[in-house]
Short mmCIF file of all heavy atoms in Angstrom, two decimals:
data_model
loop_
_atom_site.label_atom_id
_atom_site.label_comp_id
_atom_site.label_asym_id
_atom_site.label_seq_id
_atom_site.Cartn_x
_atom_site.Cartn_y
_atom_site.Cartn_z
N LYS A 268 115.96 101.06 112.78
CA LYS A 268 116.63 100.37 113.89
C LYS A 268 115.84 100.67 115.16
O LYS A 268 115.42 101.82 115.36
CB LYS A 268 118.08 100.84 113.99
CG LYS A 268 118.91 100.14 115.06
CD LYS A 268 120.37 100.59 115.05
CE LYS A 268 121.22 99.82 116.06
NZ LYS A 268 122.65 100.23 116.02
N ALA A 317 122.93 98.74 121.48
CA ALA A 317 123.94 98.86 120.40
C ALA A 317 125.33 98.38 120.83
O ALA A 317 126.33 98.77 120.23
CB ALA A 317 124.00 100.30 119.87
N MET A 318 125.34 97.53 121.87
CA MET A 318 126.63 97.01 122.33
C MET A 318 126.82 95.59 121.80
O MET A 318 126.22 94.65 122.33
CB MET A 318 126.66 97.01 123.85
CG MET A 318 126.57 98.39 124.44
SD MET A 318 126.46 98.32 126.20
CE MET A 318 125.98 100.01 126.56
N GLY A 319 127.63 95.49 120.77
CA GLY A 319 127.89 94.16 120.21
C GLY A 319 128.19 94.21 118.75
O GLY A 319 128.08 95.27 118.09
N SER A 320 128.58 93.07 118.21
CA SER A 320 129.00 92.98 116.82
C SER A 320 128.31 91.84 116.09
O SER A 320 128.71 91.46 114.99
CB SER A 320 130.51 92.77 116.75
OG SER A 320 131.18 93.74 117.53
N GLY A 342 126.66 93.39 113.79
CA GLY A 342 125.91 94.24 114.74
C GLY A 342 126.66 95.52 115.02
O GLY A 342 127.75 95.72 114.49
N SER A 343 126.05 96.41 115.66
CA SER A 343 124.78 96.19 116.34
C SER A 343 123.55 96.35 115.44
O SER A 343 122.49 95.89 115.77
CB SER A 343 124.64 97.14 117.54
OG SER A 343 124.58 98.48 117.11
N THR A 362 122.64 102.85 113.30
CA THR A 362 123.50 103.78 114.04
C THR A 362 124.87 103.14 114.20
O THR A 362 125.02 101.92 114.17
CB THR A 362 122.94 104.10 115.45
OG1 THR A 362 122.93 102.91 116.25
CG2 THR A 362 121.55 104.68 115.36
N ASP A 363 125.86 104.01 114.35
CA ASP A 363 127.24 103.57 114.34
C ASP A 363 128.00 104.33 115.43
O ASP A 363 128.22 105.53 115.33
CB ASP A 363 127.84 103.87 112.94
CG ASP A 363 129.18 103.22 112.67
OD1 ASP A 363 130.05 103.33 113.56
OD2 ASP A 363 129.36 102.62 111.60
N THR A 364 128.38 103.59 116.48
CA THR A 364 129.14 104.15 117.60
C THR A 364 130.59 103.71 117.51
O THR A 364 131.49 104.41 117.94
CB THR A 364 128.51 103.68 118.94
OG1 THR A 364 127.15 104.07 118.97
CG2 THR A 364 129.25 104.24 120.15
N GLY A 365 130.74 102.52 116.91
CA GLY A 365 132.10 101.97 116.74
C GLY A 365 132.14 101.02 115.55
O GLY A 365 133.01 100.16 115.49
N GLY A 366 131.18 101.17 114.65
CA GLY A 366 131.17 100.32 113.45
C GLY A 366 129.84 99.70 113.14
O GLY A 366 129.70 98.94 112.17
N SER A 367 128.83 100.01 113.93
CA SER A 367 127.55 99.28 113.84
C SER A 367 126.72 99.52 112.58
O SER A 367 125.70 98.84 112.39
CB SER A 367 126.69 99.61 115.06
OG SER A 367 127.17 98.86 116.15
N TYR A 395 124.03 105.51 123.50
CA TYR A 395 124.98 104.51 123.99
C TYR A 395 126.22 105.30 124.46
O TYR A 395 126.42 105.48 125.66
CB TYR A 395 125.28 103.50 122.87
CG TYR A 395 126.54 102.68 122.97
CD1 TYR A 395 127.26 102.54 124.16
CD2 TYR A 395 126.99 101.97 121.86
CE1 TYR A 395 128.40 101.77 124.23
CE2 TYR A 395 128.15 101.18 121.91
CZ TYR A 395 128.86 101.09 123.09
OH TYR A 395 130.00 100.33 123.16
N TYR A 500 138.76 102.98 122.59
CA TYR A 500 137.30 102.92 122.43
C TYR A 500 136.64 102.17 123.59
O TYR A 500 135.62 102.63 124.11
CB TYR A 500 136.94 102.22 121.11
CG TYR A 500 135.48 101.94 120.93
CD1 TYR A 500 134.63 102.90 120.36
CD2 TYR A 500 134.93 100.73 121.35
CE1 TYR A 500 133.27 102.63 120.22
CE2 TYR A 500 133.58 100.44 121.20
CZ TYR A 500 132.74 101.41 120.64
OH TYR A 500 131.41 101.13 120.48
N TYR A 501 137.25 101.05 124.00
CA TYR A 501 136.62 100.24 125.02
C TYR A 501 136.83 100.80 126.43
O TYR A 501 136.45 100.17 127.41
CB TYR A 501 137.00 98.76 124.88
CG TYR A 501 136.11 98.12 123.82
CD1 TYR A 501 136.56 97.95 122.51
CD2 TYR A 501 134.80 97.78 124.12
CE1 TYR A 501 135.71 97.42 121.53
CE2 TYR A 501 133.94 97.26 123.18
CZ TYR A 501 134.40 97.06 121.87
OH TYR A 501 133.55 96.55 120.92
N ARG A 549 129.75 96.30 130.49
CA ARG A 549 130.24 97.64 130.10
C ARG A 549 129.92 98.68 131.14
O ARG A 549 130.70 99.61 131.34
CB ARG A 549 129.65 97.98 128.74
CG ARG A 549 130.16 97.01 127.69
CD ARG A 549 130.05 97.54 126.32
NE ARG A 549 130.30 96.45 125.37
CZ ARG A 549 130.38 96.63 124.07
NH1 ARG A 549 130.24 97.83 123.57
NH2 ARG A 549 130.60 95.62 123.26
N ASP A 615 136.59 94.80 116.00
CA ASP A 615 136.17 96.16 115.68
C ASP A 615 137.37 97.05 115.29
O ASP A 615 137.21 98.26 115.11
CB ASP A 615 135.49 96.82 116.90
CG ASP A 615 134.19 96.12 117.27
OD1 ASP A 615 133.57 95.50 116.39
OD2 ASP A 615 133.80 96.21 118.46
N LEU A 619 136.61 101.48 114.73
CA LEU A 619 136.51 102.33 115.95
C LEU A 619 137.13 103.71 115.79
O LEU A 619 136.58 104.71 116.29
CB LEU A 619 137.19 101.61 117.12
CG LEU A 619 136.65 100.22 117.46
CD1 LEU A 619 137.49 99.60 118.57
CD2 LEU A 619 135.20 100.30 117.86
N1 LIG B 872 130.88 96.54 118.16
C1 LIG B 872 131.05 97.80 118.81
C2 LIG B 872 130.60 97.73 120.23
O1 LIG B 872 130.21 96.69 120.64
C3 LIG B 872 130.37 98.92 118.05
C4 LIG B 872 128.93 99.00 118.35
C5 LIG B 872 128.27 100.20 117.72
O2 LIG B 872 128.80 100.84 116.80
N2 LIG B 872 127.11 100.54 118.25
O3 LIG B 872 130.59 98.67 120.95
#
Side-chain angles (χ1 to χ4, degrees):
K268 184 176 183 179
M318 297 175 193
S320 307
S343 65
T362 65
D363 192 311
T364 303
S367 282
Y395 161 16
Y500 172 88
Y501 278 98
R549 297 200 191 186
D615 296 335
L619 303 175

